[in-house]
Each structure stands twice: as structure tokens, then as C-alpha cells.
Amino acid sequence: MFSTLTIHQAAIVFGAVVSFTALVHGLPADASNGYISDRSAVVAESHSLNPRIDIPPALAGFPSGPLNEFLRLISTLPEGAAALDAVGLILTPLQQGLADAVGIDTTRDDLAQNAACADVTVVFARGTTEPGNVGLVTGPPFYDALKEQLGSKSLAFQGVEYPATFAGFNKNGTDGVPSMTGFINQALTDCPDTKLVMSGYSQGALVLRSTANSLPADTMAKVNSVVTFGDPGNPDAITGAEGKTLIICHENDAVCKGGFITVDHLTYADNATTAAQFVVQKAGA
């Protein structure tokens, strides 16, 4: 979900994730207190920050106590890769806790579990630090929208298995290429009549792009549609996906322009129906 960040920017990132999830999914304000990670697993010691008075409006709905606690933790982390790794250790369980609280499934394993062939099959790569294999802020809403738009048609949805670390973002998502490639080949071999969709959010879009670059042209020709959200590779074309690609990038999403995370990068649930309609139209379903 995130590109390389400074300590201060990382603080804003995790706060935005929590605030956005709480606001969109209706998590009670005091419920988030239960998701503060054990600090001893991240840093040996920390010190108090003065209460923040400059919380951006986008974070105003998040309880100030937990927000200050997380900011205090992040302020004590070392600079560089270790700091970003520690941010990930906080963000992933936090998001999974939020998902559990509101009944969001962050894992979809239809291909891994050899489910029956479906009319439409989606292989989806989540963003950096997101939990499960389809994440929290984009994958689940996209799944729900597809189920609604497909009506009586069947859907298989498979998340890409990869670490989704900050380091992986800087490698253009190549950590996810083996898994995405394997699931694509499985779907095309086991279910040749399915309409296959490649999709990814944030770093997951980089996974998709790197996979498309490595797949044979005849394999990409069998992919029915391609959808990316918050795509760091925007506006470059995706190899082998000409005429069947939808790249969704918000105007103020800096990640789509090679920059840092903004709140606009966390709101692609708003575009889930548009993406699902594109998939259904391409599939002729």
C-alpha cells in the first residue's frame, strides 16, 4: 500500500489507515483501543509525545488516545529499513483486527482450495502491509461489487500470496510474481472457459505489472481483463493488456504520480462498482 516513507510520513500513513477504516466501516471509536500492538515486539522502549494539536481533518474521527500512542511508538523507531519494518509490524495486525471487528474477510482462496470452475476468476494482489491475501481497503469491496454485478454468474476470487513488504515495493512487486503466475496458469489450465481477471492495488498493481512483463504473450492473450487501483505504474501501459485494461487512480493520489501516501490512496472502495462493471462488460456476463 505504501511507498518508501520518512518517520513523520509513516506516522501519517498508519493514522490514515485507521481513521479511514473506522469511518467507512463504522467501527466504534473506543473499539480501536483493543488493536494496539504489544510495543515490546516493536521497540525496546519509548517516550511520551506531547498531545498532538495538528491532526489533519482526515484523521479527526480517530480517537486521540490511540492515535497519540501509535505516533509515540513510531517516533522512537530507528531510521531506515528497520523503521519501515516496524511500521509494517504495527499496521498489518492493526488492519486485521479492524477487519475482524467488522466482519471483513481479508483472505480469498478459491483457486488454492480447488473450488469449482467459475464464470469469472479474479487473481488479486493486495497492497503493502495489508493483511490476509486480498487486504482490507480495496480487495474485499471489489469482491463484493463483483458478486453483486455478476448476479447469477459465478465468481472465483484468489489472493496472491506474497509478503507485501516495504522492501518489496522498491523491487516493483517482484516478490508476488511467482504466486500470481502460478494462479493464472492454474486457472487457465483447470478452467479454460473462465473469464480470467488480473487485478491489484498499490504494490499489488506493481506485482501485476511485473507478472505481465514475465508472462508469455499467448498467456496474456487469454486474460480477459486487467484492473489496477492506486497504481504506482500509472499511466504506463501494461504489457499484453492493450484494450482490456482499467487503471483507476484518484486525482490527488500521490502514489499514482510516484509520490508518497495520501488519504486519497485509501479510498478505492469508492471505485469498486465501476471496476466490477468494467470486468462484467469485458466478460460479456
Side-chain angles (χ1 to χ4, degrees):
M1 185 186 303
F2 311 114
S3 55
T4 304
L5 309 172
T6 66
I7 299 298
H8 174 70
Q9 289 162 333
I12 298 301
V13 166
F14 85 82
V17 171
V18 177
S19 176
F20 169 73
T21 307
L23 290 172
V24 171
H25 296 296
L27 181 67
D30 59 355
S32 59
N33 287 293
Y35 307 124
I36 297 177
S37 300
D38 181 1
R39 294 194 296 274
S40 64
V42 182
V43 291
E45 60 182 23
S46 60
H47 62 272
S48 296
L49 285 177
N50 292 327
R52 289 182 60 88
I53 59 174
D54 59 341
I55 295 174
L59 306 183
F62 187 74
S64 60
L67 178 60
N68 278 321
E69 176 71 3
F70 279 112
L71 290 172
R72 182 168 68 89
L73 286 174
I74 289 180
S75 73
T76 65
L77 300 177
E79 295 183 2
L84 296 178
D85 287 343
V87 171
L89 290 175
I90 294 170
L91 281 173
T92 302
L94 166 64
Q95 292 175 89
Q96 185 60 60
L98 291 169
D100 292 343
V102 295
I104 294 175
D105 193 344
T106 62
T107 297
R108 294 286 173 186
D109 273 331
D110 288 338
L111 291 177
Q113 295 176 357
N114 295 310
C117 291
D119 295 307
V120 174
T121 299
V122 178
V123 180
F124 181 89
R126 72 195 188 283
T128 307
T129 78
E130 285 200 295
N133 61 17
V134 296
L136 176 66
V137 299
T138 302
F142 184 37
Y143 171 84
D144 290 341
L146 279 168
K147 290 285 287 185
E148 180 178 355
Q149 293 295 317
L150 283 168
S152 62
K153 300 290 185 179
S154 56
L155 172 67
F157 205 95
Q158 176 64 53
V160 172
E161 298 291 350
Y162 82 113
T165 61
F166 289 104
F169 187 101
N170 293 328
K171 295 190 294 182
N172 289 320
T174 52
D175 288 344
V177 170
S179 177
M180 180 167 259
T181 298
F183 285 128
I184 288 169
N185 288 335
Q186 177 185 343
L188 292 174
T189 299
D190 295 348
C191 304
D193 295 327
T194 194
K195 301 297 185 181
L196 180 61
V197 182
M198 294 173 66
S199 186
Y201 162 60
S202 196
Q203 184 181 164
L206 295 180
V207 171
L208 185 157
R209 287 174 174 274
S210 292
T211 301
N213 287 340
S214 68
L215 287 173
D218 61 343
T219 299
M220 282 302 298
K222 296 174 184 176
V223 174
N224 187 256
S225 62
V226 175
V227 179
T228 63
F229 305 84
D231 187 346
N234 175 64
D236 294 344
I238 296 171
T239 302
E242 294 79 6
K244 54 185 178 184
T245 299
L246 176 63
I247 298 174
I248 302 177
C249 270
H250 293 163
E251 181 179 358
N252 294 320
D253 182 356
V255 172
C256 290
K257 303 171 185 176
F260 293 122
I261 184 73
T262 63
V263 173
D264 297 270
H265 190 60
L266 306 175
T267 58
Y268 286 99
D270 292 344
N271 306 98
T273 297
T274 297
Q277 289 171 341
F278 175 80
V279 168
V280 171
Q281 184 268 324
K282 287 296 181 183

